[in-house]
Amino acid sequence: MVDAVFRIIASDGLERASLREVAEEAGLAVGSVRHYFASSDELLVHSFSVVIDRIAGRLELALEAVQGQAPGTPAHHGAAVLLLEQFLPLDEERAVDVCVWLAFRNAARIKPVFAPEAARSHRAVAAVVGQLIMELLPGSAEQQDILVTEAERLLATLDGLCMHALLQSEWMTAQMCRDVLEAHLAGLGGLHRGR
Amino acid sequence: MVDAVFRIIASDGLERASLREVAEEAGLAVGSVRHYFASSDELLVHSFSVVIDRIAGRLELALEAVQGQAPGTPAHHGAAVLLLEQFLPLDEERAVDVCVWLAFRNAARIKPVFAPEAARSHRAVAAVVGQLIMELLPGSAEQQDILVTEAERLLATLDGLCMHALLQSEWMTAQMCRDVLEAHLAGLGGLHRGR
DNA sequence: GTCTTTTTAGCACGATCGTGCTTCAACTGC
DNA sequence: GCAGTTGAAGCACGATCGTGCTAAAAAGAC
């Protein structure tokens, strides 16, 4: 059922994820879908929640892999890149998730029903990125404001990469995504040192 | 007429920008709107085109201001920040523009009518950002790949900042936007030097 | 004045959508 | 066997939307 919602949003957009479309995609009748979800909003909010849990789960798993490595080592760097790649639509599964994720977050600006889940999504992702920043900038642990700024900066870059990879896939290839990630990490390391 | 479209998209989203809504917002009848725009798509594509021209116009004006300053000077840096701020929804006018701009670009993923204008938008913005990167990294003029990567990275960060400023305005304040921009420029300057 | 063009307005049709409501089959516990 | 719960299906109503079409008013040309 939720998978049907994901497929419709990924291929036709959130506004086409109506009860009738979802029911047909899931091979059910409208009444059957409404047996499980009293309203259209309920189904969509639940789908939003599921995609958040999926993405956050991938991120936290990858974060543990990062924290299991000694900072500064190549393995640590590689695990960090692997974590950041979990944001990007580099395979079919992640492409659908990111697509659905962005669609719901954009809709949350207009439809207040999505606002609580959107806030939860932001908190969960910001927590992971914040911890990653602390892993990558161990020397700046006391400068709280720099850590916050760098976390927001990394988060913005990731979301922008997501957008471009989804919307301008001709220009923003997978290799370009990885190059940008590497450049950003290199810029992180060289930053706030010579001051 | 186009202003009415902008207001509706900014406050209620693109999907509510129907002919009836636009006509009411503009104080006209549906038939009157359709006298100028034969179809709904025609009106929306024209609105997309207008918002692109407005944003691109601001950017190119700010780019000339950057190119009028000597590279490396504080005035050059300030003009660069001013250029990058033209992307962000830091006042009411730019907030509406950015909102409409993002809505149309997202819709272009689904609706092919918007694809040509979306491609034009990407080309125009990438050209400005590319020239800015060449201003900021004059020493790497020969390394084409680095310039391209850094342009895409800056573009991604800007779009991510736009998203966050619009969607999570509680966390992403105007000051945080400026801090992120300054941090990114600082990271640019210190990058690709010690190699 | 009349004739033509532009602008504004409105109607009607089919399509889609959310939702309240009823019906029917399948399964479960006893 | 049978009552009660659950899953699935369908109908009908009002609302919204794009669009083809007609008609009336306003403006301008002569």
Side-chain angles (χ1 to χ4, degrees), chain A residues 31-44:
Chain A
S32 307
V33 177
R34 292 194 56 210
H35 174 70
Y36 299 97
F37 301 97
S39 71
S40 172
D41 284 349
E42 202 170 298
L43 167 62
L44 294 180

Side-chain angles (χ1 to χ4, degrees), chain B residues 139-191:
Chain B
S140 310
E142 66 285 354
Q143 297 161 284
Q144 190 80 23
D145 54 338
I146 289 187
L147 291 182
V148 171
T149 301
E150 286 304 316
E152 288 287 355
R153 185 164 77 94
L154 178 52
L155 211 47
T157 306
L158 287 171
D159 271 327
L161 276 183
C162 275
M163 274 192 53
H164 289 184
L166 283 182
L167 304 180
Q168 264 92 30
S169 50
E170 323 89 79
W171 290 287
M172 184 56 75
T173 62
Q175 189 54 50
M176 178 65 78
C177 282
R178 294 200 176 88
D179 288 349
V180 170
L181 286 186
E182 290 289 352
H184 193 100
L185 290 180
L188 259 187
L191 199 57

